Amino acid sequence: MTPPSLPTDEAALIAAAQQGDRRAMDRVLRDQQPRIYAICRRIAGNEADALDATQDALLAVVRGLPGFDGRSRFSTWVYRVATNSCLDELRRRRRRPLVGLPEAPDGTPIEIADTGPAVGDTVTDRMVIDGALAELPEEFRAAVVLRDICQLDYAEIADVLDIPPGTVRSRIARGRAHLAAKITGNQTGAR
């Protein structure tokens, strides 16, 4: 016997997942995984932490979905879960020991030559932006990523980060100023 087909609209799919439909839950997770990874990649600043945070966020969606009450848009709720998972991962990362560059027997770092292929301007620009984002303080990075990459409005960002809208505006302005300073080479960006 063929199982009934899954609902096609998001609200019905979410309702089915909340009622314990495993296929619906799987579909919700597959649909949300790229969005969750994208935000985690930008906030974490590196692939390894982004993947860890994505996994944590997907688990949090599974655990939290029965309690999702629809007071906010589902995408806003998912952004909150992903952002919190990523910020938690960054806090865990700070507690981990850092692995440094290889050292010579006398303790001096060994320089590693860059012999990789040349990259195009688009890739280079993206690397510069990712590098500048990675240097932003977490609170600025999260606000800038949610606004400029995820295209959330200020009220949604305030909801995701659980801070007042005025604080959102301030963090975005300071984060953008810091990014602009980093990208243009002026080191007087926001702190």
Side-chain angles (χ1 to χ4, degrees):
M1 187 160 124
T2 306
S5 62
L6 287 174
T8 56
D9 87 16
E10 185 178 74
L13 189 64
I14 292 165
Q18 287 177 311
Q19 296 303 315
D21 184 327
R22 292 178 63 151
R23 290 180 337 134
M25 180 63 79
D26 183 56
R27 175 70 177 274
V28 167
L29 294 175
R30 278 187 283 134
D31 290 350
Q32 297 304 315
Q33 190 274 337
R35 174 180 289 162
I36 291 170
Y37 174 74
I39 193 168
C40 289
R41 177 66 179 91
R42 290 298 185 147
I43 292 174
N46 69 70
E47 179 107 6
D49 289 337
L51 289 170
D52 288 344
T54 298
Q55 289 301 312
D56 289 346
L58 290 169
L59 289 171
V61 167
V62 170
R63 285 188 216 110
L65 190 59
F68 173 68
D69 59 9
R71 282 187 287 154
S72 64
R73 289 188 342 210
F74 184 68
S75 61
T76 301
W77 182 77
V78 168
Y79 281 130
R80 173 182 275 182
V81 169
T83 300
N84 288 338
S85 293
C86 195
L87 293 174
D88 288 346
E89 181 61 31
L90 292 175
R91 284 189 277 280
R92 283 190 294 271
R93 176 176 58 179
R94 270 192 247 122
R95 292 189 296 262
R96 286 185 224 136
L98 295 176
V99 178
L101 291 172
E103 294 180 353
D106 67 356
T108 60
I110 298 172
E111 293 199 27
I112 301 171
D114 181 8
T115 59
V119 292
D121 289 340
T122 304
V123 173
T124 303
D125 290 345
R126 186 172 185 164
M127 289 172 63
V128 167
I129 292 169
D130 283 350
L133 272 172
E135 292 183 26
L136 274 179
E138 290 172 17
E139 66 270 12
F140 299 154
R141 185 180 328 140
V144 168
V145 167
L146 290 169
R147 178 69 185 137
D148 294 338
I149 297 180
C150 300
Q151 303 296 310
L152 296 184
D153 64 34
Y154 291 106
E156 290 172 316
I157 297 168
D159 186 38
V160 167
L161 298 177
D162 198 25
I163 58 176
T167 304
V168 169
R169 285 182 188 83
S170 171
R171 288 182 182 182
I172 290 170
R174 292 178 69 190
R176 286 175 176 167
H178 184 80
L179 281 175
K182 280 295 193 186
I183 290 170
T184 62
N186 179 357
Q187 299 301 316
T188 61
R191 301 235 175 236

